[in-house]
């Protein structure tokens, strides 16, 4: 297995630069990952429709995630991130609250992926496409988790009022 060249890439401390990092590291990668994963899921569902462990509905879930993530990422790229790059003024509490709600929806979709795939457990004798699908899903879910954690735990708190 080849080393992911981005795996050891640390995000910058500056919030404006961090937004660029998120766009380049995570947004671009999600946009590249999901269409391929959806195509693989469609293939696996079609070819193995009668198999006991086929993840029926996975392709539809991934297709929905493409749309949901794209809308979310566009909101960040066009509204929230430019405001952060301008220093975070005016108040960003409401846009960040919307992003956090979106993140909860993305995490729920990720949990559905794990349910449909029995925690990415391949059946005995899984074909190359099924194996590639689950390997790709593992990478996507790890990326999504790291992406959401970076925003929720590092970036957003810098622009939210402290809770007493």
């Amino acid at each position: 297995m080849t080393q992911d060249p981005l795996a050891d890439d640390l995000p910058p401390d500056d919030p404006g630069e961090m937004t660029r990092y998120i766009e380049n590291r995570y947004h671009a990668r999600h946009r590249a990952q999901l269409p391929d994963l959806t195509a693989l899921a469609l293939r696996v569902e079609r070819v193995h429709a009668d198999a006991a462990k086929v993840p029926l509905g996975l392709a539809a879930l991934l297709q929905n995630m493409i749309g949901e993530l794209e809308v979310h990422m566009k909101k960040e790229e066009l509204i929230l991130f430019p405001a952060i790059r301008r220093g975070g003024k005016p108040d960003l509490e409401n846009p960040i609250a919307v992003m956090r709600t979106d993140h909860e929806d993305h995490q729920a979709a990720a949990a559905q992926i794990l349910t449909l795939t029995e925690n990415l457990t391949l059946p005995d004798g899984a074909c190359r496409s099924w194996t590639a699908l689950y390997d790709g899903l593992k990478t996507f879910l790890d990326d999504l988790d790291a992406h959401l954690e970076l925003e929720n735990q590092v970036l957003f708190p810098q622009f939210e009022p402290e809770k007493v």
Side-chain angles (χ1 to χ4, degrees):
M1 181 165 26
T2 60
Q3 176 82 16
D4 179 353
L6 299 174
D8 297 324
D9 187 22
L10 297 175
D13 290 331
D14 175 72
E17 289 303 312
M18 189 180 298
T19 63
R20 287 180 185 84
Y21 172 86
I22 290 167
E23 288 174 353
N24 294 324
R25 170 62 174 89
Y26 295 111
H27 291 192
R29 194 152 188 200
H30 297 329
R31 287 180 174 120
Q33 292 167 321
L34 280 171
D36 292 342
L37 291 171
T38 302
L40 274 172
L42 280 168
R43 182 179 313 143
V44 167
E45 287 183 53
R46 185 181 68 246
V47 171
H48 302 284
D50 296 331
K53 294 190 178 252
V54 69
L56 290 175
L58 179 60
L61 175 59
L62 293 172
Q63 186 65 45
N64 186 60
M65 283 190 82
I66 289 172
E68 295 293 326
L69 269 173
E70 186 59 37
V71 168
H72 173 81
M73 292 185 298
K74 283 293 186 192
K75 287 188 283 190
E76 287 182 339
E77 293 164 0
L78 298 174
I79 299 165
L80 182 60
F81 288 178
I84 287 173
R85 291 176 193 139
R86 290 189 302 269
K89 304 294 180 211
D91 182 41
L92 296 180
E93 187 175 355
N94 288 333
I96 288 173
V98 170
M99 296 300 103
R100 285 185 181 278
T101 299
D102 286 356
H103 289 178
E104 291 170 7
D105 294 341
H106 303 326
Q107 289 168 324
Q112 282 183 282
I113 290 170
L114 292 174
T115 298
L116 286 173
T117 62
E118 297 181 15
N119 290 316
L120 303 176
T121 303
L122 287 165
D124 291 336
C127 68
R128 286 188 303 223
S129 293
W130 206 329
T131 302
L133 172 62
Y134 282 21
D135 287 346
L137 285 171
K138 168 103 174 76
T139 300
F140 167 71
L141 293 172
D142 288 348
D143 285 342
L144 182 64
D145 186 57
H147 173 189
L148 300 181
E149 183 175 333
L150 179 59
E151 290 183 3
N152 287 340
Q153 304 302 320
V154 180
L155 181 62
F156 293 167
Q158 296 178 59
F159 298 93
E160 294 171 309
E162 290 191 34
K163 302 209 173 25
V164 181

